[in-house]
Amino acid sequence: MFWLNAKQVNVNGTPISFYEEGQGDPVVLIHGFCGSKDYWQKVIRPLAEDYRIIAIDLPGHGDSEMPSGDSSIEKMAELIQGTIQELGVEKASLFGHSLGGYVTLAFAEAHEDKIRKFALIHSTANPDSEEGKKGRDVAAGKIGAEGIRSFVDGLVPNLFAPGEEHKQELQTAKEIGYSTSSEGAKAALKAMKQRPDRNMILKKTELPVLILAGGKDQIIPPEKAFTVERPNIHQETIEEAGHMSMYETPVELVAVIREFMQK
């Protein structure tokens, strides 16, 4: 599916898969729910012209395996930290898409000294609403009853802006989603359901922060993304994007990331 060869490290007994390309300041890309490191395939090459890009599979997604015991957003963050530590990275800039944004915030809470700057891409510091928590349970039940393929077929179309033509990209996102293990998807749903409110991280951090929203995002619209306003927090909206700017508007996404990295 992709032009890069995947690499793997063992983090506390859990095999974690990643892509690594380019040289320079390390930039870590963390994908969303039922995604993988392949979500970033349109942005890795242009960004790798200037940065050391490390795109990591979350546990139970792509080619990464599940750790033993209960999964949580915090545990995912520790696996990211363990991965970049294995690669000899002392400080990195983190870009987290959706679920990856929740992981990025947990990483910032536990390891702010390991971060140069961080970004939430179509993500939020808010916790799930009560309705959202019920939706996680329904989704987990659907995966258990019908399997991951049927679930992904229902999930992915809602990630793209309504009415826009992205048939090939939508199919690619489905194919990536099918590689998610049912166990990994259900564990991620539980972790997202249980995640705390992390707006305090945005209110306290002195690090440069980017919050990027899609003007047509049906999952996390701009008003749910832009929860904290401070001088060090840069808010950006790609008006034509839904929840998947890395597929829908990759040129614009790369431009926003470059501008943020150069500030």
Side-chain angles (χ1 to χ4, degrees):
M1 182 180 291
F2 201 16
W3 52 272
L4 278 177
N5 291 320
K7 302 177 183 179
Q8 191 178 83
V9 291
N10 192 295
V11 182
N12 298 325
T14 303
I16 298 295
S17 181
F18 64 97
Y19 291 134
E20 185 177 21
E21 182 75 1
Q23 296 178 337
D25 288 343
V27 171
V28 176
L29 305 176
I30 310 172
H31 63 81
F33 176 56
C34 285
S36 81
K37 59 188 180 296
D38 284 323
Y39 261 19
W40 305 101
Q41 54 188 274
K42 288 178 181 283
V43 305
I44 289 178
R45 178 170 277 163
L47 290 176
E49 293 174 6
D50 299 298
Y51 305 103
R52 179 186 178 187
I53 303 299
I54 302 166
I56 303 174
D57 280 341
L58 289 170
H61 291 67
D63 298 311
S64 288
E65 296 186 15
M66 288 290 294
S68 58
D70 267 358
S71 189
S72 66
I73 299 297
E74 295 76 20
K75 199 165 189 176
M76 293 181 196
E78 291 308 314
L79 288 170
I80 297 293
Q81 162 59 7
T83 300
I84 64 176
Q85 190 171 13
E86 286 287 331
L87 297 177
V89 174
E90 291 186 8
K91 274 197 173 188
S93 298
L94 270 61
F95 290 76
H97 168 241
S98 198
L99 163 60
Y102 309 151
V103 176
T104 296
L105 283 167
F107 190 110
E109 185 172 38
H111 302 290
E112 189 175 65
D113 60 321
K114 305 289 187 184
I115 303 178
R116 293 186 188 278
K117 48 182 71 178
F118 68 89
L120 308 183
I121 310 294
H122 311 297
S123 193
T124 180
N126 287 339
D128 270 358
S129 65
E130 289 306 312
E131 181 183 4
K133 290 178 181 179
K134 291 175 184 175
R136 305 290 189 197
D137 292 336
V138 170
K142 183 177 175 67
I143 292 168
E146 301 176 19
I148 193 68
R149 192 177 184 94
S150 174
F151 175 74
V152 166
D153 283 342
L155 170 74
V156 169
N158 294 323
L159 303 181
F160 287 78
E164 300 295 324
E165 286 297 320
H166 294 288
K167 290 182 180 178
Q168 183 57 55
E169 290 83 1
L170 194 149
Q171 186 58 37
T172 299
K174 284 185 178 182
E175 295 290 341
I176 290 169
Y178 299 153
S179 72
T180 311
S181 71
S182 293
E183 178 191 5
K186 288 190 285 187
L189 285 164
K190 182 178 179 182
M192 290 189 287
K193 173 186 172 182
Q194 294 178 340
R195 78 184 190 279
D197 184 330
R198 283 202 162 93
N199 280 290
M200 191 54 67
I201 304 302
L202 297 179
K203 292 175 180 175
K204 285 184 173 181
T205 186
E206 298 302 323
L207 295 172
V209 178
L210 166 68
I211 302 178
L212 183 140
K216 298 181 179 179
D217 193 334
Q218 304 174 84
I219 310 299
I220 301 175
E223 62 269 20
K224 289 187 178 179
F226 303 143
T227 58
V228 175
E229 292 190 18
R230 292 179 63 216
N232 61 313
I233 298 177
H234 179 64
Q235 298 180 353
E236 190 79 38
T237 302
I238 300 179
E239 294 296 345
E240 295 306 307
H243 197 65
M244 299 286 277
S245 60
M246 63 284 297
Y247 281 123
E248 298 168 293
T249 56
V251 173
E252 290 87 342
L253 177 60
V254 167
V256 171
I257 291 175
R258 277 187 186 282
E259 181 184 3
F260 176 62
M261 287 297 295
Q262 290 166 3
K263 281 183 183 293

